[in-house]
Amino acid sequence: SQQGEEDPQALSIQEGENATMNCSYKTSINNLQWYRQNSGRGLVHLILIRSNEREKHSGRLRVTLDTSKKSSSLLITASRAADTASYFCATDARTGANNLFFGTGTRLTVIP
Amino acid sequence: DTAVSQTPKYLVTQMGNDKSIKCEQNLGHDTMYWYKQDSKKFLKIMFSYNNKELIINETVPNRFSPKSPDKAHLNLHINSLELGDSAVYFCASSQGQGRGYTFGSGTRLTVV
């Protein structure tokens, strides 16, 4: 299976703290993406990191990628209550198609 | 608004019925997808389709079939609905390899 796994499954932090979520995957990839899903809503694309990149930033988000370990991390700094959501990593497979395979998700709760 | 829109948002139906979920994107994207999200939030790709190629996840029962009247639409037809088909179905689109997806808001299907 090309499915990834996020760790932890659930994370609860106080507002203002940093949140770190990890993702492991199994196959070689072209890129890895992170998505957010608020309860009852669709997924929203956050950031994409290519296999030849090691780190990428977007606002309060920092993503790292270690292709030798087949793992990625998403760091959200200075968390806010509005960051409460499920976060998914997704990987493509080097098949030529842009089909994404999603991890199991981390449920983040930011307590005001 | 530029978006991926899918209808209906909720669908409750009896076992054995045939139903359709519609999806439209006005983003000019080349590829559209259908994903199924189960009660544990596990996202599984069902189909991807562009004007050249339909890729079907081999685990998807042939009761499910995508229909694309044009590049902006990818509808999902489900025949002989079963209890296990209950889930949230998401449509998405992307502009090719190495690009993020834009998701619709989902259709919650309940089979009774």
mmCIF file of all heavy atoms in Angstrom, chain B residues 11-31:
data_model
loop_
_atom_site.group_PDB
_atom_site.id
_atom_site.type_symbol
_atom_site.label_atom_id
_atom_site.label_comp_id
_atom_site.label_asym_id
_atom_site.label_seq_id
_atom_site.Cartn_x
_atom_site.Cartn_y
_atom_site.Cartn_z
ATOM 1 N N LEU B 11 -27.080 12.808 1.220
ATOM 2 C CA LEU B 11 -27.868 11.868 0.428
ATOM 3 C C LEU B 11 -28.185 10.668 1.296
ATOM 4 O O LEU B 11 -27.274 9.972 1.746
ATOM 5 C CB LEU B 11 -27.086 11.445 -0.816
ATOM 6 C CG LEU B 11 -27.734 10.513 -1.818
ATOM 7 C CD1 LEU B 11 -29.057 11.060 -2.307
ATOM 8 C CD2 LEU B 11 -26.787 10.278 -2.998
ATOM 9 N N VAL B 12 -29.456 10.461 1.560
ATOM 10 C CA VAL B 12 -29.900 9.311 2.336
ATOM 11 C C VAL B 12 -30.754 8.467 1.415
ATOM 12 O O VAL B 12 -31.693 8.968 0.802
ATOM 13 C CB VAL B 12 -30.723 9.730 3.579
ATOM 14 C CG1 VAL B 12 -31.152 8.493 4.358
ATOM 15 C CG2 VAL B 12 -29.908 10.666 4.455
ATOM 16 N N THR B 13 -30.437 7.179 1.322
ATOM 17 C CA THR B 13 -31.136 6.330 0.373
ATOM 18 C C THR B 13 -31.177 4.899 0.879
ATOM 19 O O THR B 13 -30.416 4.519 1.773
ATOM 20 C CB THR B 13 -30.445 6.387 -1.002
ATOM 21 O OG1 THR B 13 -31.227 5.684 -1.966
ATOM 22 C CG2 THR B 13 -29.056 5.786 -0.937
ATOM 23 N N GLN B 14 -32.060 4.114 0.306
ATOM 24 C CA GLN B 14 -32.194 2.729 0.735
ATOM 25 C C GLN B 14 -31.249 1.806 -0.021
ATOM 26 O O GLN B 14 -30.839 2.106 -1.159
ATOM 27 C CB GLN B 14 -33.640 2.275 0.518
ATOM 28 C CG GLN B 14 -34.635 2.937 1.467
ATOM 29 C CD GLN B 14 -36.031 2.346 1.338
ATOM 30 O OE1 GLN B 14 -36.469 2.025 0.240
ATOM 31 N NE2 GLN B 14 -36.711 2.200 2.463
ATOM 32 N N MET B 15 -30.936 0.717 0.608
ATOM 33 C CA MET B 15 -30.129 -0.323 -0.040
ATOM 34 C C MET B 15 -30.755 -0.720 -1.366
ATOM 35 O O MET B 15 -31.976 -0.785 -1.490
ATOM 36 C CB MET B 15 -30.071 -1.568 0.849
ATOM 37 C CG MET B 15 -29.115 -1.482 1.997
ATOM 38 S SD MET B 15 -29.220 -2.954 3.041
ATOM 39 C CE MET B 15 -28.907 -4.249 1.863
ATOM 40 N N GLY B 16 -29.924 -0.982 -2.334
ATOM 41 C CA GLY B 16 -30.394 -1.444 -3.629
ATOM 42 C C GLY B 16 -30.680 -0.346 -4.633
ATOM 43 O O GLY B 16 -30.791 -0.616 -5.832
ATOM 44 N N ASN B 17 -30.798 0.895 -4.131
ATOM 45 C CA ASN B 17 -31.073 2.008 -5.048
ATOM 46 C C ASN B 17 -29.825 2.373 -5.858
ATOM 47 O O ASN B 17 -28.698 2.016 -5.508
ATOM 48 C CB ASN B 17 -31.547 3.230 -4.270
ATOM 49 C CG ASN B 17 -32.985 3.095 -3.813
ATOM 50 O OD1 ASN B 17 -33.695 2.181 -4.218
ATOM 51 N ND2 ASN B 17 -33.416 4.004 -2.955
ATOM 52 N N ASP B 18 -30.071 3.121 -6.934
ATOM 53 C CA ASP B 18 -28.995 3.689 -7.752
ATOM 54 C C ASP B 18 -29.007 5.201 -7.548
ATOM 55 O O ASP B 18 -30.068 5.823 -7.586
ATOM 56 C CB ASP B 18 -29.225 3.389 -9.235
ATOM 57 C CG ASP B 18 -29.324 1.913 -9.547
ATOM 58 O OD1 ASP B 18 -28.812 1.115 -8.747
ATOM 59 O OD2 ASP B 18 -29.925 1.567 -10.586
ATOM 60 N N LYS B 19 -27.833 5.775 -7.346
ATOM 61 C CA LYS B 19 -27.759 7.218 -7.101
ATOM 62 C C LYS B 19 -26.566 7.819 -7.823
ATOM 63 O O LYS B 19 -25.612 7.110 -8.177
ATOM 64 C CB LYS B 19 -27.640 7.515 -5.601
ATOM 65 C CG LYS B 19 -28.898 7.237 -4.806
ATOM 66 C CD LYS B 19 -30.016 8.186 -5.205
ATOM 67 C CE LYS B 19 -31.291 7.870 -4.436
ATOM 68 N NZ LYS B 19 -32.425 8.718 -4.891
ATOM 69 N N SER B 20 -26.613 9.143 -7.989
ATOM 70 C CA SER B 20 -25.509 9.879 -8.609
ATOM 71 C C SER B 20 -25.134 11.073 -7.760
ATOM 72 O O SER B 20 -25.983 11.683 -7.111
ATOM 73 C CB SER B 20 -25.912 10.367 -9.997
ATOM 74 O OG SER B 20 -26.149 9.291 -10.871
ATOM 75 N N ILE B 21 -23.852 11.381 -7.782
ATOM 76 C CA ILE B 21 -23.325 12.595 -7.150
ATOM 77 C C ILE B 21 -22.655 13.389 -8.259
ATOM 78 O O ILE B 21 -21.871 12.843 -9.041
ATOM 79 C CB ILE B 21 -22.307 12.275 -6.046
ATOM 80 C CG1 ILE B 21 -22.912 11.313 -5.023
ATOM 81 C CG2 ILE B 21 -21.858 13.562 -5.363
ATOM 82 C CD1 ILE B 21 -21.906 10.802 -3.990
ATOM 83 N N LYS B 22 -22.970 14.679 -8.297
ATOM 84 C CA LYS B 22 -22.420 15.510 -9.363
ATOM 85 C C LYS B 22 -21.241 16.339 -8.859
ATOM 86 O O LYS B 22 -21.208 16.739 -7.693
ATOM 87 C CB LYS B 22 -23.507 16.447 -9.900
ATOM 88 C CG LYS B 22 -24.643 15.716 -10.592
ATOM 89 C CD LYS B 22 -25.624 16.695 -11.191
ATOM 90 C CE LYS B 22 -26.725 15.953 -11.952
ATOM 91 N NZ LYS B 22 -27.695 16.887 -12.572
ATOM 92 N N CYS B 23 -20.306 16.591 -9.742
ATOM 93 C CA CYS B 23 -19.151 17.422 -9.406
ATOM 94 C C CYS B 23 -18.795 18.301 -10.590
ATOM 95 O O CYS B 23 -18.739 17.830 -11.736
ATOM 96 C CB CYS B 23 -17.955 16.560 -9.020
ATOM 97 S SG CYS B 23 -16.489 17.535 -8.610
ATOM 98 N N GLU B 24 -18.535 19.561 -10.279
ATOM 99 C CA GLU B 24 -18.157 20.528 -11.302
ATOM 100 C C GLU B 24 -17.010 21.383 -10.789
ATOM 101 O O GLU B 24 -17.002 21.778 -9.624
ATOM 102 C CB GLU B 24 -19.348 21.427 -11.641
ATOM 103 C CG GLU B 24 -19.029 22.541 -12.620
ATOM 104 C CD GLU B 24 -20.218 23.441 -12.906
ATOM 105 O OE1 GLU B 24 -21.282 23.254 -12.266
ATOM 106 O OE2 GLU B 24 -20.093 24.332 -13.763
ATOM 107 N N GLN B 25 -16.054 21.667 -11.648
ATOM 108 C CA GLN B 25 -14.977 22.590 -11.284
ATOM 109 C C GLN B 25 -14.855 23.668 -12.350
ATOM 110 O O GLN B 25 -14.942 23.375 -13.549
ATOM 111 C CB GLN B 25 -13.647 21.849 -11.070
ATOM 112 C CG GLN B 25 -13.173 20.998 -12.227
ATOM 113 C CD GLN B 25 -12.154 21.654 -13.121
ATOM 114 O OE1 GLN B 25 -11.712 22.778 -12.869
ATOM 115 N NE2 GLN B 25 -11.746 20.957 -14.184
ATOM 116 N N ASN B 26 -14.672 24.893 -11.886
ATOM 117 C CA ASN B 26 -14.516 26.025 -12.816
ATOM 118 C C ASN B 26 -13.108 26.593 -12.749
ATOM 119 O O ASN B 26 -12.889 27.781 -13.013
ATOM 120 C CB ASN B 26 -15.571 27.092 -12.540
ATOM 121 C CG ASN B 26 -15.449 27.683 -11.145
ATOM 122 O OD1 ASN B 26 -14.523 27.370 -10.400
ATOM 123 N ND2 ASN B 26 -16.380 28.545 -10.777
ATOM 124 N N LEU B 27 -12.159 25.746 -12.383
ATOM 125 C CA LEU B 27 -10.771 26.167 -12.219
ATOM 126 C C LEU B 27 -9.947 25.946 -13.484
ATOM 127 O O LEU B 27 -8.779 26.316 -13.516
ATOM 128 C CB LEU B 27 -10.136 25.391 -11.058
ATOM 129 C CG LEU B 27 -10.816 25.627 -9.705
ATOM 130 C CD1 LEU B 27 -10.429 24.531 -8.726
ATOM 131 C CD2 LEU B 27 -10.457 26.985 -9.154
ATOM 132 N N GLY B 28 -10.539 25.303 -14.473
ATOM 133 C CA GLY B 28 -9.798 24.992 -15.691
ATOM 134 C C GLY B 28 -8.790 23.868 -15.509
ATOM 135 O O GLY B 28 -7.881 23.715 -16.323
ATOM 136 N N HIS B 29 -8.947 23.088 -14.442
ATOM 137 C CA HIS B 29 -8.015 21.994 -14.191
ATOM 138 C C HIS B 29 -8.219 20.846 -15.182
ATOM 139 O O HIS B 29 -9.324 20.626 -15.685
ATOM 140 C CB HIS B 29 -8.186 21.471 -12.762
ATOM 141 C CG HIS B 29 -7.653 22.396 -11.731
ATOM 142 N ND1 HIS B 29 -7.888 22.228 -10.380
ATOM 143 C CD2 HIS B 29 -6.869 23.502 -11.828
ATOM 144 C CE1 HIS B 29 -7.266 23.190 -9.701
ATOM 145 N NE2 HIS B 29 -6.656 23.975 -10.564
ATOM 146 N N ASP B 30 -7.116 20.123 -15.404
ATOM 147 C CA ASP B 30 -7.163 19.036 -16.384
ATOM 148 C C ASP B 30 -7.637 17.712 -15.788
ATOM 149 O O ASP B 30 -8.137 16.859 -16.519
ATOM 150 C CB ASP B 30 -5.763 18.801 -16.974
ATOM 151 C CG ASP B 30 -5.342 19.934 -17.895
ATOM 152 O OD1 ASP B 30 -6.245 20.568 -18.479
ATOM 153 O OD2 ASP B 30 -4.139 20.193 -18.009
ATOM 154 N N THR B 31 -7.423 17.532 -14.500
ATOM 155 C CA THR B 31 -7.686 16.229 -13.901
ATOM 156 C C THR B 31 -8.666 16.359 -12.752
ATOM 157 O O THR B 31 -8.583 17.295 -11.952
ATOM 158 C CB THR B 31 -6.378 15.587 -13.397
ATOM 159 O OG1 THR B 31 -5.404 15.621 -14.457
ATOM 160 C CG2 THR B 31 -6.608 14.149 -12.974
#
